[in-house]
Amino acid sequence: MLIGREKEKQLLQDTLTQEYSQFIAVYGRRRVGKTFLIREAFDYNFYFQFTGSANISNRKQLAKFRSALKEQGLVDVASSITSWMEAFAELRRFINQQPTGKKVVFFDELPWMDAPRSGFLSELESFWNGWASARKDIVFVVCGSATSWMMKKIVKNKGGLHNRLTRRIMLEPFPLRLCEEFVKSLGIIFTRKQILEAYLIFGGIPYYWSLLQRGNSLPQEIDRLLFSKKGEMHDEFEMLYASLFSSPEPYMRIVALLAHKKKGMTRKELIEAGKFIDNGRLSNLLNDLEWCGFIRSYSVLGKKTKSEIYQLIDHYTIFYYTFLIDNPGKNYWEAIQGTPIYNTWCGLAFERGCLWHIEQIKAALGITGVLTNEYAWRYDGDKTLGLPGVQVDLLIDRNDGIIDLCEVKYSKDQYLITEAYHKDLVRKESVFSLVTKTQKAVHTVMITTNGLTRNAYSGDIQKEVTLEDLFR
């Protein structure tokens, strides 16, 4: 059963009613559900479909393509196919034999077909530009997990495929609401707090959630999937980056550095710590990671430089570097429940979870239609001015004359604002306004799991957002 994805499914189905041929690219990180979406949207009815294979020679790839043509109806297929020019010629011949009507052609894992010196991309361009686009009956769907390749070679192609796409779908991970729907569809009973914890480990990747089994507690399932050597996700980290990037090592160096820096690192800090060369190659690495949803870039409020800070936001990657990299052994997650290391992780991970739910936070604040920018903000302090250091978990800079300083707090019960913490909040507002010289009104917003305990200090909070709001 397809959970969510209503807009994406409708967009794909609408291509069947368009007057002219359609060229659609669907991309997104590994395991996010691209292939499943496409199959469900077209009810598994394809005139031709082919899935590229990783790490095989171009000769073997072409042999598999020939076999696919024969299996799907081209009985007189050529005895051998030795180039992509011949492969696409046979595909055109096969399509020409089909009856009148829309013909959906689906190429899955497209980047794996583009072996070095194979000539695949130029023949793909020729197939679309010189033949399919001149017809009215072709729905050509391409898909791939190697997001950086899809972006460079298809979506932002500067050659023959420039601006040739008629549709493109960047498939995003599930938000908490859809994770909850998915869990229910599996017949698993979890509280929203437990769903949140699973989300802070798996992110919104449907395949990871599909591995959960009924009958066990969440800690038992985390131990089974991640910490057991026989678990389905025990080797996922290496497979994840290897599937997305042909040379994953430099990408993994970057995320390893960012994994230990909660608020992120500047480009200069990355260069110094990772001994990278400051050139276009590094820019490409960072862009690729951002396209794939592993990192985000944001500016420092008050500075003109854009994308100055790079922050790791992928839940599974951070969980790997926090707990899995040292192979702590089976039953580890059950053993640390309620311990300081577990509680610290919950707090930090909840902050990252909020970054993936900005739209839900904005809805709770009643500012869905307001243009905003989101940052983390830090000031190291100045002893000569008597100003203390300040750190803001999440800052929402609104286009309606307000800046929300969001304090994110994970707690088992309602969160209590003490006198000392209240003074800290007042100090943050004061230092922020003084340092940034903002002319906007500054509001303090609390984002908590269970809301606030009412006392003498809670009334100074302008707005509250709770875990229930994040599930909207």
Side-chain angles (χ1 to χ4, degrees):
M1 181 175 65
L2 186 65
I3 302 295
R5 314 300 198 197
E6 290 88 359
K7 291 182 180 179
E8 294 86 350
K9 181 179 178 180
Q10 189 62 54
L11 188 151
L12 289 170
Q13 291 177 336
D14 285 347
T15 62
L16 296 173
T17 60
Q18 298 299 309
E19 181 179 0
Y20 296 98
S21 289
Q22 301 291 303
F23 185 10
I24 309 102
V26 182
Y27 51 101
R29 62 166 286 174
R30 168 182 162 92
R31 310 293 204 186
V32 80
K34 303 178 295 299
T35 302
F36 186 64
L37 166 67
I38 294 166
R39 289 172 176 170
E40 287 287 316
F42 293 111
D43 199 23
Y44 295 75
N45 292 319
F46 305 105
Y47 272 82
F48 179 75
Q49 59 178 315
F50 178 70
T51 301
S53 297
N55 304 317
I56 67 172
S57 67
N58 188 55
R59 179 178 61 81
K60 290 182 178 180
Q61 199 87 254
L62 288 167
K64 288 172 65 69
F65 192 87
R66 178 189 175 278
S67 296
L69 283 167
K70 186 175 182 179
E71 291 169 1
Q72 294 175 56
L74 187 59
V75 294
D76 59 341
V77 64
S79 58
S80 67
I81 294 177
T82 60
S83 69
W84 282 107
M85 181 173 68
E86 294 175 3
F88 278 104
E90 288 292 273
L91 177 60
R92 290 193 293 269
R93 192 164 67 85
F94 175 56
I95 293 173
N96 281 329
Q97 295 177 6
Q98 305 306 313
T100 302
K102 291 291 184 182
K103 302 166 183 65
V104 182
V105 178
F106 175 32
F107 280 12
D108 198 3
E109 296 299 355
L110 190 72
W112 290 346
M113 303 179 207
D114 188 33
R117 299 179 298 279
S118 66
F120 170 77
L121 197 59
S122 61
E123 293 304 325
L124 177 70
E125 293 174 358
S126 177
F127 171 76
W128 177 256
N129 293 336
W131 188 77
S133 64
R135 300 168 62 109
K136 293 187 175 184
D137 60 345
I138 305 297
V139 177
F140 186 35
V141 186
V142 298
C143 174
S145 294
T147 310
S148 60
W149 188 96
M150 292 290 293
M151 290 294 294
K152 294 173 185 175
K153 304 295 186 179
I154 303 296
V155 178
K156 296 188 176 183
N157 186 287
K158 296 180 180 178
L161 291 178
H162 179 65
N163 283 339
R164 295 296 184 175
L165 287 177
T166 55
R167 300 282 192 280
R168 64 180 187 177
I169 298 174
M170 172 63 175
L171 202 60
E172 299 281 359
F174 280 168
L176 281 165
R177 177 182 63 83
L178 293 183
C179 291
E180 184 178 43
E181 281 189 37
F182 198 4
V183 164
K184 289 180 179 179
S185 75
L186 297 174
I188 296 173
I189 300 175
F190 281 161
T191 66
R192 284 191 162 179
K193 205 76 169 285
Q194 291 165 334
I195 292 172
L196 171 66
E197 180 174 331
Y199 177 83
L200 299 178
I201 297 171
F202 297 139
I205 306 304
Y207 175 76
Y208 297 163
W209 289 83
S210 73
L211 299 175
L212 292 170
Q213 296 178 359
R214 292 190 297 177
N216 290 331
S217 68
L218 178 60
Q220 287 175 321
E221 283 297 276
I222 299 305
D223 276 325
R224 181 183 67 83
L225 292 172
L226 295 167
F227 291 95
S228 170
K229 290 183 178 180
K230 296 181 180 179
E232 291 97 317
M233 292 184 64
H234 184 70
D235 299 321
E236 174 65 16
F237 182 77
E238 289 77 11
M239 295 170 64
L240 172 60
Y241 284 84
S243 71
L244 292 174
F245 310 111
S246 57
S247 299
E249 292 79 11
Y251 298 97
M252 295 169 73
R253 281 170 56 202
I254 291 174
V255 297
L257 291 169
L258 293 177
H260 303 292
K261 298 291 184 180
K262 173 187 172 185
K263 295 303 179 186
M265 300 172 71
T266 65
R267 183 187 180 98
K268 182 179 179 181
E269 288 170 339
L270 280 169
I271 290 169
E272 292 175 352
K275 297 185 175 10
F276 292 102
I277 299 174
D278 189 5
N279 57 16
R281 167 66 174 157
L282 177 59
S283 298
N284 288 335
L285 293 173
L286 293 169
N287 286 336
D288 289 348
L289 286 169
E290 191 161 8
W291 282 336
C292 292
F294 290 108
I295 68 173
R296 71 162 186 150
S297 59
Y298 63 91
S299 305
V300 175
L301 187 68
K303 294 187 177 182
K304 296 181 180 180
T305 305
K306 292 185 178 180
S307 303
E308 189 178 11
I309 308 294
Y310 296 93
Q311 183 182 25
L312 182 62
I313 58 172
D314 180 65
H315 296 295
Y316 172 74
T317 299
I318 297 173
F319 189 82
Y320 172 84
Y321 279 108
T322 305
F323 297 107
L324 296 171
I325 192 170
D326 294 326
N327 296 310
K330 63 180 182 179
N331 301 326
Y332 175 79
W333 199 243
E334 282 189 273
I336 70 165
Q337 294 291 298
T339 64
I341 188 174
Y342 171 82
N343 293 332
T344 298
W345 170 79
C346 286
L348 296 176
F350 184 50
E351 290 179 22
R352 288 189 297 272
C354 290
L355 292 177
W356 284 94
H357 290 78
I358 295 297
E359 292 306 311
Q360 287 81 0
I361 292 171
K362 289 177 63 176
L365 296 176
I367 56 171
T368 300
V370 178
L371 292 175
T372 63
N373 287 306
E374 295 78 40
Y375 313 92
W377 190 81
R378 182 180 64 204
Y379 176 65
D380 293 330
D382 189 326
K383 291 184 179 180
T384 59
L385 297 176
L387 295 177
V390 167
Q391 184 168 296
V392 178
D393 299 328
L394 172 63
L395 182 152
I396 302 177
D397 186 7
R398 299 160 43 170
N399 206 35
D400 60 353
I402 293 174
I403 293 178
D404 290 319
L405 302 187
C406 300
E407 288 286 299
V408 183
K409 296 296 179 182
Y410 182 97
S411 61
K412 292 182 179 180
D413 303 307
Q414 288 185 327
Y415 188 79
L416 176 67
I417 299 179
T418 63
E419 180 181 4
Y421 182 53
H422 179 259
K423 289 180 179 178
D424 185 49
L425 293 177
V426 173
R427 183 166 55 249
K428 281 188 179 183
E429 276 194 32
S430 177
V431 171
F432 176 81
S433 298
L434 186 63
V435 172
T436 62
K437 297 181 173 58
T438 180
Q439 298 300 307
K440 295 184 177 181
V442 179
H443 290 178
T444 296
V445 173
M446 292 295 299
I447 305 176
T448 64
T449 43
N450 295 300
L452 296 175
T453 298
R454 299 300 163 195
N455 63 6
Y457 308 113
S458 60
D460 289 343
I461 304 302
Q462 293 291 321
K463 285 278 190 176
E464 293 181 44
V465 180
T466 68
L467 179 59
E468 297 300 311
D469 295 314
L470 300 187
F471 273 86
R472 291 183 179 177

